[in-house]
Amino acid sequence: SHQSNSQFQHRKSQKKRSEEERFYMKCRAAYLSVFRSSLVNMTSKDQLCTVLQKAGRNPSQKALDKYWPPGTKKLNFDDFCEILKKEKPAEPDQLMRIFKKFDVSCDGYISHEELSRILTSSGEKMSPKEVDEIFSLADVNKDGKLDYAEFCRLLESTAEQCQTAALKKLEADAKLKRQNFGNQLDNSPQSSESQPELPASETQPRTELETTQRKDSRSSSRPSSARIRRSSLSTVITMGAGSTKSGRLVEPKSLQVPAALGCFYLEEDGTIVSLQYRLVIPETTSVYLTIRPLNLSPIPEKPSPWMCVDTALYVVMGNETKEDSNLVCFTELRDKERFLWRGELSAGSYLLLPFTTGCRLMKRTRKTSTKTAQLVNHTQSGELELTKEFKAALSDIFEVIDLDGSGLLSLEEYTSGEKCDEDAWAICKENFNTKKNELTRQGFLELNLMEANDREGDPRDLWLTLEAMGYNHSLEMVEACPFVIEVYCEDAKATLQAVHLDSGIKMLNSAVQRSITSKAEAKSLKGHENVLIYTYKGESRISSVIANKSNQKMTVHINNEQSKNCVSSRGMSVFAVEVPARTKMVCQHVMALNYQQEWTYNCVETIIPSL
């Protein structure tokens, strides 16, 4: 009996929860049929009226005045949900009953004259122009009469279609979903690192931050619920202006391990990927690690545009197949564009995972008006040749994929560690300029010229390669960032080699998330003690993790609008993050727009109803 009663209570709570989910789904569908995102604010009483009507309500002017009192400048999606709870849905036949009252002939039609008299002389009066607009839309047969039964059906079905279309669009459009929920795809290392939650007895972090809590600052005239007000946390951190040189580490005179090159590539879905590196140390020794963007510009006073991109290295113990790994250290210190770490490492095999927050490396809006660069020309004899601009771009690409900096491309470097036909590589070496059985820079250019000849000058395949390497159609590398890793070991001859890991992104996610929670103080949201925010302050960035220790999914609204001189890895100042039950997730990374000026991180996190 006790068991059946428990099951009944469980089913009952499940039913209540599903009813709430359906309610908020309908709220969001109505909202998205009017606004592009549920994070967009309503800025007028007319907008509030429209979105309420889309949700099947028929608010009076008196009700609208109550919800939008004098002095109100904006209401958000949460406010809309609270209003919708108070406004009863319009009865399906309510409008029909009103029309029937004025249908004197009882034939199911109302003339333009009758409708005009009703709408301009009683209730919430309309202008003659508004009546004409309504009639022109509703007079389906164009006979000067309004079939009001058909009109009512049309209104009802249109509202439902708008809501259905809005939800379908939300599910289908990944970018729109990010705007509403702030969720990058699961494999994005810089946006939604998610890890199973640790027990509540987890050791508390060590770093103290300038973190303050405050009550909700919205106007008291707004219909905000006490539940929302109780669930906010405000974090304010001010960072000083000036040079980013750390001055704490002296660079070794020589590096005992050759430098390794690599590149961050921005994928179509916003994910940032790169190769990983294996460092093998034969005995315990002092180690100095650095990572920095690689400058390919031949003009000293005009460095490559990606030199402002932040970089980091996470050192973990693990192997190629193990997704979970132990974080050893990461490059916290900064010296101009270089990020570094110095300490002692025991003998063993380590994985170096390159990372960038995504604050400075983001998808660019492609301008259709931009002139497309020419890749090939025809000589006077009719032969194809590569243009000077294309050769320069290919030379930079060669530099980037030459991982050991030898000036030659091996099979592994040419294919980025992926499988390649050995016979095809043998033919490649036979036909193009090689040295020590590796492809020279000249051979690499010859290979691309051959590809252009194979396509009879059609550059489409060449553009596919360039776009994959982060180039736009003006031959500018805007969606990639080459980098160089340097390692110094004091008393041991270590080896460093590029590797391609299938689990690399998940391992990096885990390392980034743990680096934040191990060094940041956790603050709980009022009213939701099981939702914790970890905020880590580094030398050049501020990062946060949301930990959901509860047994249900939580949606957290993030507002950075009061921050100054800042840029977020999300690319938005306002967004929301869905955090599954019993998990931790990286919320965002924030950096200064201009490090020569003071910058302030001001973030307010608030629990909102989940979809």
Side-chain angles (χ1 to χ4, degrees):
S1 174
H2 175 72
Q3 185 181 5
S4 63
N5 185 54
S6 297
Q7 288 175 351
F8 172 77
Q9 292 297 332
H10 177 67
R11 298 269 303 202
K12 187 177 177 182
S13 64
Q14 273 189 327
K15 186 173 186 294
K16 185 180 178 183
R17 192 157 56 242
S18 64
E19 285 173 352
E20 288 178 350
E21 287 175 354
R22 279 196 296 272
F23 170 75
Y24 286 114
M25 185 182 291
K26 287 180 179 179
C27 290
R28 210 175 294 275
Y31 208 83
L32 292 177
S33 66
V34 178
F35 301 102
R36 63 178 173 79
S37 164
S38 58
L39 302 177
V40 174
N41 291 324
M42 294 175 281
T43 56
S44 71
K45 191 187 297 184
D46 287 343
Q47 287 183 339
L48 172 61
C49 181
T50 302
V51 77
L52 283 171
Q53 288 170 344
K54 294 289 186 183
R57 307 303 194 261
N58 188 25
S60 65
Q61 193 60 48
K62 185 179 178 181
L64 289 172
D65 289 340
K66 181 178 73 173
Y67 300 134
W68 196 283
T72 305
K73 292 183 179 179
K74 62 182 179 179
L75 295 178
N76 61 22
F77 174 70
D78 303 329
D79 301 323
F80 169 66
C81 293
E82 295 301 317
I83 292 170
L84 215 55
K85 289 177 183 176
K86 299 169 185 175
E87 277 292 300
K88 291 182 180 179
E91 295 177 22
D93 60 344
Q94 183 181 3
L95 193 56
M96 277 288 290
R97 289 202 306 270
I98 294 170
F99 275 123
K100 282 180 179 179
K101 279 184 183 180
F102 298 98
D103 181 9
V104 181
S105 57
C106 298
D107 61 355
Y109 292 89
I110 288 182
S111 69
H112 180 282
E113 186 182 346
E114 288 171 325
L115 183 67
S116 181
R117 189 172 65 251
I118 296 162
L119 297 179
T120 59
S121 61
S122 60
E124 294 164 22
K125 301 172 186 177
M126 288 186 176
S127 69
K129 186 180 177 182
E130 288 174 327
V131 175
D132 289 343
E133 287 175 353
I134 288 176
F135 204 91
S136 65
L137 290 170
D139 184 11
V140 181
N141 300 324
K142 305 299 178 188
D143 59 357
K145 291 182 179 181
L146 173 64
D147 181 346
Y148 56 81
E150 182 60 28
F151 179 61
C152 291
R153 282 195 295 272
L154 183 65
L155 276 180
E156 191 176 343
S157 65
T158 301
E160 290 175 355
Q161 286 170 16
C162 286
Q163 292 184 27
T164 303
L167 282 178
K168 283 183 179 177
K169 187 179 180 184
L170 178 64
E171 288 300 321
D173 191 331
K175 183 179 179 182
L176 188 62
K177 185 149 189 170
R178 285 199 297 273
Q179 287 175 338
N180 280 274
F181 298 114
N183 285 354
Q184 301 287 351
L185 300 180
D186 289 341
N187 60 354
S188 173
Q190 52 277 357
S191 298
S192 60
E193 296 86 339
S194 177
Q195 296 294 328
E197 180 56 50
L198 300 175
S201 59
E202 176 187 350
T203 305
Q204 285 298 308
R206 300 181 292 274
T207 305
E208 181 116 4
L209 297 176
E210 303 92 349
T211 305
T212 59
Q213 292 187 13
R214 69 181 183 189
K215 292 184 178 180
D216 188 71
S217 59
R218 292 180 293 185
S219 167
S220 59
S221 66
R222 292 170 62 174
S224 313
S225 66
R227 173 181 54 81
I228 294 293
R229 287 198 299 273
R230 285 199 307 267
S231 305
S232 289
L233 174 70
S234 176
T235 304
V236 181
I237 303 174
T238 298
M239 305 285 277
S243 171
T244 54
K245 185 168 179 62
S246 65
R248 281 180 280 178
L249 294 183
V250 178
E251 186 174 345
K253 292 178 181 178
S254 63
L255 299 171
Q256 290 190 354
V257 178
L261 302 181
C263 191
F264 294 112
Y265 297 106
L266 193 56
E267 305 284 75
E268 277 299 315
D269 61 5
T271 304
I272 299 175
V273 298
S274 75
L275 287 171
Q276 296 81 38
Y277 300 80
R278 180 166 296 286
L279 175 65
V280 178
I281 300 175
E283 56 187 283
T284 301
T285 182
S286 293
V287 176
Y288 179 97
L289 292 172
T290 76
I291 182 171
R292 57 180 169 84
L294 175 65
N295 187 15
L296 296 176
S297 174
I299 307 170
E301 61 272 14
K302 191 179 178 183
S304 299
W306 55 80
M307 293 303 289
C308 66
V309 173
D310 61 287
T311 58
L313 267 182
Y314 286 80
V315 182
V316 301
M317 292 288 286
N319 54 50
E320 282 87 345
T321 58
K322 190 178 180 183
E323 291 182 3
D324 197 14
S325 56
N326 296 320
L327 174 66
V328 177
C329 62
F330 66 102
T331 51
E332 282 190 88
L333 302 176
R334 181 176 184 179
D335 183 357
K336 296 183 179 177
E337 74 274 1
R338 181 177 304 187
F339 288 81
L340 39 94
W341 177 86
R342 186 172 192 170
E344 188 175 86
L345 290 180
S346 303
S349 176
Y350 299 88
L351 286 172
L352 307 187
L353 310 177
F355 170 76
T356 182
T357 61
C359 292
R360 303 292 175 85
L361 186 60
M362 291 184 174
K363 296 297 289 182
R364 304 288 185 94
T365 303
R366 293 184 180 176
K367 298 176 182 177
T368 53
S369 59
T370 304
K371 187 179 178 182
T372 299
Q374 200 167 341
L375 303 184
V376 293
N377 283 324
H378 282 91
T379 64
Q380 288 183 343
S381 60
E383 294 181 350
L384 280 177
E385 66 175 1
L386 305 181
T387 64
K388 182 181 177 181
E389 295 78 15
F390 186 30
K391 283 182 178 178
L394 288 173
S395 183
D396 283 350
I397 290 172
F398 183 91
E399 200 82 30
V400 170
I401 61 178
D402 178 17
L403 300 176
D404 58 7
S406 66
L408 300 169
L409 289 185
S410 65
L411 170 61
E412 290 74 19
E413 289 172 331
Y414 181 70
T415 60
S416 297
E418 294 181 4
K419 202 168 183 181
C420 178
D421 187 345
E422 293 281 353
D423 293 335
W425 182 246
I427 293 170
C428 186
K429 288 191 293 182
E430 280 178 26
N431 289 279
F432 304 114
N433 195 295
T434 59
K435 188 176 180 181
K436 300 178 183 177
N437 287 324
E438 295 185 336
L439 201 61
T440 64
R441 192 183 301 262
Q442 181 60 35
F444 183 63
L445 295 177
E446 291 169 357
L447 182 62
N448 280 273
L449 180 58
M450 184 201 73
E451 187 176 342
N453 276 299
D454 285 347
R455 299 289 181 270
E456 298 180 346
D458 187 341
R460 281 179 291 185
D461 284 355
L462 297 174
W463 276 119
L464 287 175
T465 303
L466 286 166
E467 287 169 1
M469 296 299 294
Y471 282 84
N472 64 14
H473 277 227
S474 296
L475 282 181
E476 301 165 323
M477 189 187 282
V478 293
E479 294 185 354
C481 172
F483 59 77
V484 57
I485 296 171
E486 295 168 318
V487 181
Y488 172 82
C489 293
E490 203 168 84
D491 303 312
K493 288 189 176 181
T495 59
L496 182 65
Q497 184 180 8
V499 292
H500 182 81
L501 305 179
D502 291 335
S503 59
I505 287 179
K506 290 184 177 179
M507 292 175 74
L508 179 58
N509 292 349
S510 171
V512 172
Q513 181 255 308
R514 290 182 183 186
S515 71
I516 296 169
T517 57
S518 67
K519 290 182 174 287
E521 182 183 5
K523 298 283 186 181
S524 63
L525 271 70
K526 280 189 176 180
H528 286 272
E529 303 303 318
N530 284 327
V531 180
L532 303 175
I533 308 293
Y534 295 80
T535 307
Y536 161 76
K537 183 180 77 170
E539 282 201 1
S540 60
R541 67 175 160 99
I542 294 169
S543 302
S544 65
V545 162
I546 302 173
N548 178 13
K549 293 176 178 286
S550 72
N551 292 319
Q552 61 183 14
K553 176 180 68 180
M554 290 290 182
T555 303
V556 183
H557 182 273
I558 310 298
N559 189 328
N560 297 318
E561 288 180 313
Q562 298 305 310
S563 293
K564 295 177 182 177
N565 187 27
C566 287
V567 59
S568 168
S569 58
R570 295 280 179 169
M572 297 172 279
S573 59
V574 179
F575 57 93
V577 181
E578 284 182 339
V579 189
R582 310 295 297 173
T583 63
K584 287 179 181 176
M585 181 178 291
V586 171
C587 173
Q588 66 176 336
H589 307 282
V590 175
M591 300 183 71
L593 278 170
N594 182 355
Y595 278 108
Q596 300 308 313
Q597 299 173 3
E598 182 180 86
W599 55 290
T600 300
Y601 171 83
N602 189 333
C603 182
V604 179
E605 295 98 350
T606 308
I607 296 289
I608 62 174
S610 298
L611 176 65

PDB file of all heavy atoms in Angstrom, residues 413-429:
ATOM      1  N   GLU A 413      51.791  15.180 -41.653  1.00  0.00           N
ATOM      2  CA  GLU A 413      51.514  16.615 -41.609  1.00  0.00           C
ATOM      3  C   GLU A 413      50.532  17.015 -42.713  1.00  0.00           C
ATOM      4  O   GLU A 413      49.614  17.816 -42.498  1.00  0.00           O
ATOM      5  CB  GLU A 413      52.808  17.412 -41.743  1.00  0.00           C
ATOM      6  CG  GLU A 413      53.689  17.330 -40.510  1.00  0.00           C
ATOM      7  CD  GLU A 413      55.047  17.974 -40.729  1.00  0.00           C
ATOM      8  OE1 GLU A 413      55.535  17.991 -41.877  1.00  0.00           O
ATOM      9  OE2 GLU A 413      55.626  18.459 -39.737  1.00  0.00           O
ATOM     10  N   TYR A 414      50.722  16.453 -43.894  1.00  0.00           N
ATOM     11  CA  TYR A 414      49.877  16.803 -45.037  1.00  0.00           C
ATOM     12  C   TYR A 414      48.432  16.375 -44.801  1.00  0.00           C
ATOM     13  O   TYR A 414      47.486  17.063 -45.223  1.00  0.00           O
ATOM     14  CB  TYR A 414      50.418  16.145 -46.300  1.00  0.00           C
ATOM     15  CG  TYR A 414      49.614  16.471 -47.543  1.00  0.00           C
ATOM     16  CD1 TYR A 414      49.630  17.758 -48.084  1.00  0.00           C
ATOM     17  CD2 TYR A 414      48.843  15.497 -48.172  1.00  0.00           C
ATOM     18  CE1 TYR A 414      48.899  18.071 -49.216  1.00  0.00           C
ATOM     19  CE2 TYR A 414      48.105  15.805 -49.310  1.00  0.00           C
ATOM     20  CZ  TYR A 414      48.133  17.092 -49.827  1.00  0.00           C
ATOM     21  OH  TYR A 414      47.397  17.399 -50.946  1.00  0.00           O
ATOM     22  N   THR A 415      48.229  15.270 -44.111  1.00  0.00           N
ATOM     23  CA  THR A 415      46.876  14.754 -43.899  1.00  0.00           C
ATOM     24  C   THR A 415      46.334  15.078 -42.508  1.00  0.00           C
ATOM     25  O   THR A 415      45.271  14.594 -42.128  1.00  0.00           O
ATOM     26  CB  THR A 415      46.848  13.221 -44.094  1.00  0.00           C
ATOM     27  OG1 THR A 415      47.746  12.621 -43.136  1.00  0.00           O
ATOM     28  CG2 THR A 415      47.282  12.845 -45.495  1.00  0.00           C
ATOM     29  N   SER A 416      47.091  15.871 -41.710  1.00  0.00           N
ATOM     30  CA  SER A 416      46.683  16.213 -40.333  1.00  0.00           C
ATOM     31  C   SER A 416      46.427  14.968 -39.495  1.00  0.00           C
ATOM     32  O   SER A 416      45.532  14.924 -38.658  1.00  0.00           O
ATOM     33  CB  SER A 416      45.425  17.087 -40.352  1.00  0.00           C
ATOM     34  OG  SER A 416      45.691  18.303 -40.986  1.00  0.00           O
ATOM     35  N   GLY A 417      47.239  13.933 -39.730  1.00  0.00           N
ATOM     36  CA  GLY A 417      47.144  12.718 -38.922  1.00  0.00           C
ATOM     37  C   GLY A 417      46.060  11.761 -39.373  1.00  0.00           C
ATOM     38  O   GLY A 417      45.921  10.674 -38.821  1.00  0.00           O
ATOM     39  N   GLU A 418      45.261  12.134 -40.399  1.00  0.00           N
ATOM     40  CA  GLU A 418      44.218  11.233 -40.885  1.00  0.00           C
ATOM     41  C   GLU A 418      44.804  10.265 -41.908  1.00  0.00           C
ATOM     42  O   GLU A 418      45.858  10.496 -42.496  1.00  0.00           O
ATOM     43  CB  GLU A 418      43.073  12.052 -41.499  1.00  0.00           C
ATOM     44  CG  GLU A 418      42.349  12.905 -40.471  1.00  0.00           C
ATOM     45  CD  GLU A 418      41.214  13.688 -41.075  1.00  0.00           C
ATOM     46  OE1 GLU A 418      40.949  13.516 -42.282  1.00  0.00           O
ATOM     47  OE2 GLU A 418      40.591  14.479 -40.345  1.00  0.00           O
ATOM     48  N   LYS A 419      44.057   9.178 -42.158  1.00  0.00           N
ATOM     49  CA  LYS A 419      44.568   8.123 -43.025  1.00  0.00           C
ATOM     50  C   LYS A 419      44.655   8.594 -44.472  1.00  0.00           C
ATOM     51  O   LYS A 419      43.786   9.282 -44.968  1.00  0.00           O
ATOM     52  CB  LYS A 419      43.656   6.894 -42.923  1.00  0.00           C
ATOM     53  CG  LYS A 419      44.339   5.610 -43.336  1.00  0.00           C
ATOM     54  CD  LYS A 419      43.507   4.411 -42.937  1.00  0.00           C
ATOM     55  CE  LYS A 419      44.237   3.124 -43.300  1.00  0.00           C
ATOM     56  NZ  LYS A 419      43.444   1.942 -42.935  1.00  0.00           N
ATOM     57  N   CYS A 420      45.734   8.243 -45.138  1.00  0.00           N
ATOM     58  CA  CYS A 420      45.916   8.622 -46.539  1.00  0.00           C
ATOM     59  C   CYS A 420      46.451   7.422 -47.315  1.00  0.00           C
ATOM     60  O   CYS A 420      47.195   6.596 -46.779  1.00  0.00           O
ATOM     61  CB  CYS A 420      46.894   9.794 -46.650  1.00  0.00           C
ATOM     62  SG  CYS A 420      47.244  10.300 -48.349  1.00  0.00           S
ATOM     63  N   ASP A 421      46.087   7.337 -48.574  1.00  0.00           N
ATOM     64  CA  ASP A 421      46.529   6.255 -49.445  1.00  0.00           C
ATOM     65  C   ASP A 421      48.044   6.381 -49.669  1.00  0.00           C
ATOM     66  O   ASP A 421      48.528   7.362 -50.218  1.00  0.00           O
ATOM     67  CB  ASP A 421      45.770   6.357 -50.778  1.00  0.00           C
ATOM     68  CG  ASP A 421      46.050   5.165 -51.685  1.00  0.00           C
ATOM     69  OD1 ASP A 421      47.016   4.426 -51.414  1.00  0.00           O
ATOM     70  OD2 ASP A 421      45.298   4.978 -52.650  1.00  0.00           O
ATOM     71  N   GLU A 422      48.790   5.364 -49.236  1.00  0.00           N
ATOM     72  CA  GLU A 422      50.247   5.392 -49.371  1.00  0.00           C
ATOM     73  C   GLU A 422      50.672   5.469 -50.836  1.00  0.00           C
ATOM     74  O   GLU A 422      51.651   6.134 -51.177  1.00  0.00           O
ATOM     75  CB  GLU A 422      50.861   4.131 -48.719  1.00  0.00           C
ATOM     76  CG  GLU A 422      50.697   4.067 -47.206  1.00  0.00           C
ATOM     77  CD  GLU A 422      51.713   4.942 -46.477  1.00  0.00           C
ATOM     78  OE1 GLU A 422      52.612   5.479 -47.150  1.00  0.00           O
ATOM     79  OE2 GLU A 422      51.591   5.097 -45.253  1.00  0.00           O
ATOM     80  N   ASP A 423      49.924   4.786 -51.721  1.00  0.00           N
ATOM     81  CA  ASP A 423      50.262   4.810 -53.150  1.00  0.00           C
ATOM     82  C   ASP A 423      50.080   6.223 -53.708  1.00  0.00           C
ATOM     83  O   ASP A 423      50.899   6.690 -54.511  1.00  0.00           O
ATOM     84  CB  ASP A 423      49.370   3.828 -53.930  1.00  0.00           C
ATOM     85  CG  ASP A 423      49.669   2.377 -53.552  1.00  0.00           C
ATOM     86  OD1 ASP A 423      50.809   2.114 -53.104  1.00  0.00           O
ATOM     87  OD2 ASP A 423      48.777   1.527 -53.712  1.00  0.00           O
ATOM     88  N   ALA A 424      49.006   6.905 -53.269  1.00  0.00           N
ATOM     89  CA  ALA A 424      48.758   8.278 -53.736  1.00  0.00           C
ATOM     90  C   ALA A 424      49.879   9.203 -53.274  1.00  0.00           C
ATOM     91  O   ALA A 424      50.308  10.091 -54.014  1.00  0.00           O
ATOM     92  CB  ALA A 424      47.406   8.772 -53.206  1.00  0.00           C
ATOM     93  N   TRP A 425      50.364   8.984 -52.043  1.00  0.00           N
ATOM     94  CA  TRP A 425      51.464   9.802 -51.525  1.00  0.00           C
ATOM     95  C   TRP A 425      52.750   9.526 -52.300  1.00  0.00           C
ATOM     96  O   TRP A 425      53.534  10.443 -52.573  1.00  0.00           O
ATOM     97  CB  TRP A 425      51.655   9.532 -50.038  1.00  0.00           C
ATOM     98  CG  TRP A 425      52.733  10.357 -49.382  1.00  0.00           C
ATOM     99  CD1 TRP A 425      53.894   9.904 -48.853  1.00  0.00           C
ATOM    100  CD2 TRP A 425      52.746  11.773 -49.193  1.00  0.00           C
ATOM    101  NE1 TRP A 425      54.639  10.941 -48.348  1.00  0.00           N
ATOM    102  CE2 TRP A 425      53.951  12.109 -48.544  1.00  0.00           C
ATOM    103  CE3 TRP A 425      51.858  12.787 -49.520  1.00  0.00           C
ATOM    104  CZ2 TRP A 425      54.294  13.404 -48.209  1.00  0.00           C
ATOM    105  CZ3 TRP A 425      52.192  14.095 -49.193  1.00  0.00           C
ATOM    106  CH2 TRP A 425      53.393  14.401 -48.546  1.00  0.00           C
ATOM    107  N   ALA A 426      52.965   8.264 -52.686  1.00  0.00           N
ATOM    108  CA  ALA A 426      54.154   7.902 -53.468  1.00  0.00           C
ATOM    109  C   ALA A 426      54.123   8.605 -54.822  1.00  0.00           C
ATOM    110  O   ALA A 426      55.143   9.129 -55.288  1.00  0.00           O
ATOM    111  CB  ALA A 426      54.219   6.385 -53.650  1.00  0.00           C
ATOM    112  N   ILE A 427      52.936   8.642 -55.462  1.00  0.00           N
ATOM    113  CA  ILE A 427      52.792   9.331 -56.756  1.00  0.00           C
ATOM    114  C   ILE A 427      53.028  10.823 -56.571  1.00  0.00           C
ATOM    115  O   ILE A 427      53.651  11.486 -57.412  1.00  0.00           O
ATOM    116  CB  ILE A 427      51.379   9.066 -57.344  1.00  0.00           C
ATOM    117  CG1 ILE A 427      51.234   7.580 -57.706  1.00  0.00           C
ATOM    118  CG2 ILE A 427      51.121   9.946 -58.562  1.00  0.00           C
ATOM    119  CD1 ILE A 427      49.824   7.172 -58.063  1.00  0.00           C
ATOM    120  N   CYS A 428      52.548  11.343 -55.449  1.00  0.00           N
ATOM    121  CA  CYS A 428      52.718  12.766 -55.129  1.00  0.00           C
ATOM    122  C   CYS A 428      54.210  13.106 -55.041  1.00  0.00           C
ATOM    123  O   CYS A 428      54.662  14.117 -55.591  1.00  0.00           O
ATOM    124  CB  CYS A 428      52.011  13.065 -53.810  1.00  0.00           C
ATOM    125  SG  CYS A 428      51.982  14.796 -53.364  1.00  0.00           S
ATOM    126  N   LYS A 429      54.981  12.244 -54.387  1.00  0.00           N
ATOM    127  CA  LYS A 429      56.421  12.493 -54.222  1.00  0.00           C
ATOM    128  C   LYS A 429      57.165  12.370 -55.550  1.00  0.00           C
ATOM    129  O   LYS A 429      58.154  13.046 -55.781  1.00  0.00           O
ATOM    130  CB  LYS A 429      57.004  11.512 -53.193  1.00  0.00           C
ATOM    131  CG  LYS A 429      56.570  11.811 -51.757  1.00  0.00           C
ATOM    132  CD  LYS A 429      57.365  11.004 -50.742  1.00  0.00           C
ATOM    133  CE  LYS A 429      57.063   9.517 -50.859  1.00  0.00           C
ATOM    134  NZ  LYS A 429      57.790   8.725 -49.832  1.00  0.00           N
TER     135      LYS A 429
END
